[in-house]
Amino acid sequence: MSSESTSGIAKDEKHNGISVSTKEVDTAAQLAAGLSGTLDPAEALRIRKKIDKHILPLMCMLYWVQFMDKTTLGNAAVLGIETATNLTVNQYNWLGTIFYLSYLLFEYPQNLALQRLPVGKWMSANIFVWAIALSCHAACKNFTGLFIVRFILGMCEGSITAGFLIVSAMFYTRKEQTLRVGYWFLMNGTAQIISGLIAYGALHIQTSGFEPWQWFMIITGTITLILAISYWFLFPDSPTTAWFLTPDERVKAVQRIKENQTGVENKHFKKEQFMEAIRDPKTWLFAAFSVFDNVPNSLTNQQSLLVASLGFTYFQTTLLTMIPGVVEILTIYSGVRLAAHLKNGRAYVGAVYFVPALVGIAIVNLLPWSDTAGLLVGQFMTGVCTTGFVLGLSWLGNVTAGHTKRVVTNAIMLSAYCIGNAVGPLMWKAQYKPRNHVPWAVIAVCYCVCPMILLVIRVLLNRENRRRDSEASNEVEEYYIEKVTEDGKRIEVKVDKEFMDLTDRQNRDFRYVL
């Protein structure tokens, strides 16, 4: 990278290197400055296990809770919310849509806040607000009230996936990120199982003036509130300040992710990185994938209604809707493990996992309505393809460098995720019941397009890697920042290129994982 490409950089003849403003470099640069040598693999493993112990359970718990909370509408439908609040089919669908429209509206502001503010504290504040909004569902008497609280839910939950992507990149290597993103994302399946059990229990609560769906909202809201308080005190903002790491371990945690060439974070918004993210073709390919993959996600709120339409009782339906959760856990776990161990196989694994979903759609549409068991199997098979989105989400983080650029690309992909989820519920119209051939046809088209996009991304990134491999190696540049010693003396110390907060395009040594 040339010295002109980043502001705040100047050539210093004293050491024949490049002096850099601390605003330009990664926050980890102060810790890593002056370090040399490699980290002992056994020590790196110990640090990783310590990180896993303290943040992975919290991430998994929150992803379980956030998925359970945003899909409470589906369980509440079986528990009687439609009748109690006089919802029409169209109004019910709009409650699913408004959540994601709100998510979309606040996604970019949420990402900016995640860059400028402490990540853990900002997420915990959002969790607290949505816990209150979720509990307030129980007080709603009509569509308007539910519309407002669903809007607030979408506004707050927009911070979670974006925050987790940032945190995963801070603490883990690129290979580890694929697994960790899969681990916390498979909690969506756990949420379906646990929410099904809570809904089943709520059906047995008989109180005058307070219906089962209202108890369901209070119970899930209370769980979320407890987690919000826990996050404030326990979830770290960065490896450079993590409370559970000693000063020496913080340095080693930063050294551990040096191979990513993406650093930890930078609190300063960089316009040039914003523009690069907007102009990068892969940003929009991942966004297109996200839209097409999430139009079918409307099945989340339709699942219990589709099962009930086959003639099952409310009690049977609440139990049967736990099965997709089991399917999701097994498929995501197997998919991310396979992608992590199959070298450069992310696109291939993601594409293959769409095949069972397409088979399931064919079964649902071709079997006679009397074949209840077959229709259930086909419907449950459509959940296998969730693995594709999980791999796409982690892959985007693996192939994007530069903190501002990463924030922007995350915001764009998650905004696309919202668009798909907002549009999806609107295709489930009363005139298509009970077979719903039109919605299923739309879902089939989406699941054909998604694997093709993944493969196109792979071709483009592989071509760029080959281009970089053929480039003549440039002169190795050294970077220096000013550091204050314990006795107050100001000195300049060398910083590795990996902590310069360079983008994947600026850093020609960066290679895209496939």
Side-chain angles (χ1 to χ4, degrees), residues 63 161 165 168 174-186 188 282 285-287 289-290 293-294 328-356 383-400 410 413-414 417 450-451 453-455 457-458 461 513-514:
Y63 222 71
T161 301
L165 290 174
S168 296
R174 292 200 281 186
K175 180 178 179 180
E176 292 166 355
Q177 286 173 43
T178 300
L179 290 172
R180 282 10 179 232
V181 171
Y183 292 159
W184 49 257
F185 208 101
L186 65 78
N188 286 359
K282 75 174 183 294
L285 284 169
F286 276 108
F289 170 77
S290 189
D293 193 56
N294 283 285
E328 193 165 321
I329 290 171
L330 295 176
T331 54
I332 291 178
Y333 181 79
S334 62
V336 297
R337 297 290 297 185
L338 187 60
H341 289 92
L342 184 63
K343 186 177 181 181
N344 293 328
R346 289 165 176 78
Y348 297 142
V349 174
V352 166
Y353 272 71
F354 281 96
V355 176
V384 173
C385 62
T386 307
T387 303
F389 183 69
V390 175
L391 292 175
L393 202 59
S394 62
W395 194 15
L396 176 65
N398 292 163
V399 297
T400 307
N410 286 347
M413 185 170 184
L414 292 174
Y417 159 87
C450 286
I453 294 176
L454 288 178
L455 295 175
I457 293 172
R458 190 188 191 283
L461 295 182
V513 295
L514 306 173

Side-chain angles (χ1 to χ4, degrees), residues 99-110:
F99 174 92
Y100 289 104
L101 287 178
S102 174
Y103 197 132
L104 173 62
L105 181 63
F106 288 96
E107 186 56 35
Y108 188 64
Q110 285 279 18

Side-chain angles (χ1 to χ4, degrees), residues 72 75-81 193-208 210-220 314-315 318-319:
T72 47
N75 290 108
V78 177
L79 298 176
I81 193 173
I193 297 171
I194 295 176
S195 61
L197 292 172
I198 295 173
Y200 185 77
L203 269 172
H204 291 80
I205 301 175
Q206 302 297 325
T207 52
S208 59
F210 214 71
E211 299 186 26
W213 70 269
Q214 292 173 302
W215 278 114
F216 181 69
M217 296 298 185
I218 292 295
I219 293 169
T220 52
Y314 287 160
F315 287 106
T318 54
L319 295 176

Side-chain angles (χ1 to χ4, degrees), residues 35-296:
L35 292 176
S36 60
T38 58
L39 185 62
D40 177 61
E43 181 66 1
L45 179 61
R46 184 187 71 82
I47 298 294
R48 195 210 74 196
K49 287 181 176 179
K50 190 171 185 178
I51 292 169
D52 278 343
K53 177 183 176 181
H54 286 89
I55 71 170
L56 199 56
L58 284 170
M59 295 175 81
C60 289
M61 286 176 65
L62 180 56
Y63 222 71
W64 151 51
V65 166
Q66 70 94 27
F67 189 82
M68 178 177 69
D69 290 353
K70 72 182 177 185
T71 58
T72 47
L73 195 60
N75 290 108
V78 177
L79 298 176
I81 193 173
E82 289 178 291
T83 303
T85 56
N86 300 309
L87 294 177
T88 65
V89 172
N90 192 46
Q91 287 175 330
Y92 176 82
N93 290 337
W94 264 104
L95 291 179
T97 295
I98 191 56
F99 174 92
Y100 289 104
L101 287 178
S102 174
Y103 197 132
L104 173 62
L105 181 63
F106 288 96
E107 186 56 35
Y108 188 64
Q110 285 279 18
N111 273 269
L112 285 181
L114 286 166
Q115 179 178 21
R116 294 178 181 273
L117 302 173
V119 176
K121 299 297 184 293
W122 179 250
M123 284 198 294
S124 63
N126 277 275
I127 303 165
F128 183 84
V129 174
W130 106 50
I132 301 301
L134 184 62
S135 300
C136 287
H137 279 62
C140 296
K141 303 296 182 184
N142 52 38
F143 171 71
T144 303
L146 290 170
F147 188 93
I148 293 171
V149 291
R150 295 289 296 177
F151 183 88
I152 296 173
L153 274 186
M155 174 183 71
C156 295
E157 292 201 29
S159 66
I160 304 308
T161 301
F164 276 12
L165 290 174
I166 291 172
V167 170
S168 296
M170 285 181 183
F171 282 93
Y172 295 108
T173 65
R174 292 200 281 186
K175 180 178 179 180
E176 292 166 355
Q177 286 173 43
T178 300
L179 290 172
R180 282 10 179 232
V181 171
Y183 292 159
W184 49 257
F185 208 101
L186 65 78
M187 297 307 292
N188 286 359
T190 306
Q192 293 179 62
I193 297 171
I194 295 176
S195 61
L197 292 172
I198 295 173
Y200 185 77
L203 269 172
H204 291 80
I205 301 175
Q206 302 297 325
T207 52
S208 59
F210 214 71
E211 299 186 26
W213 70 269
Q214 292 173 302
W215 278 114
F216 181 69
M217 296 298 185
I218 292 295
I219 293 169
T220 52
T222 302
I223 293 171
T224 306
L225 186 61
I226 294 170
L227 189 59
I229 297 170
S230 301
Y231 252 69
W232 182 270
F233 293 103
L234 299 177
F235 198 76
D237 299 310
S238 162
T240 61
T241 59
W243 63 270
F244 55 85
L245 296 176
T246 66
D248 179 61
E249 288 173 337
R250 291 171 188 170
V251 175
K252 292 175 179 176
V254 168
Q255 278 186 290
R256 221 177 62 79
I257 62 163
K258 180 179 174 181
E259 65 183 69
N260 293 353
Q261 301 210 40
T262 57
V264 175
E265 65 174 344
N266 187 300
K267 292 297 184 184
H268 301 276
F269 185 84
K270 297 182 178 180
K271 183 179 178 181
E272 68 274 14
Q273 290 196 12
F274 171 85
M275 295 307 300
E276 182 178 314
I278 297 298
R279 293 168 181 162
D280 195 333
K282 75 174 183 294
T283 299
W284 300 106
L285 284 169
F286 276 108
F289 170 77
S290 189
V291 170
F292 283 104
D293 193 56
N294 283 285
V295 169

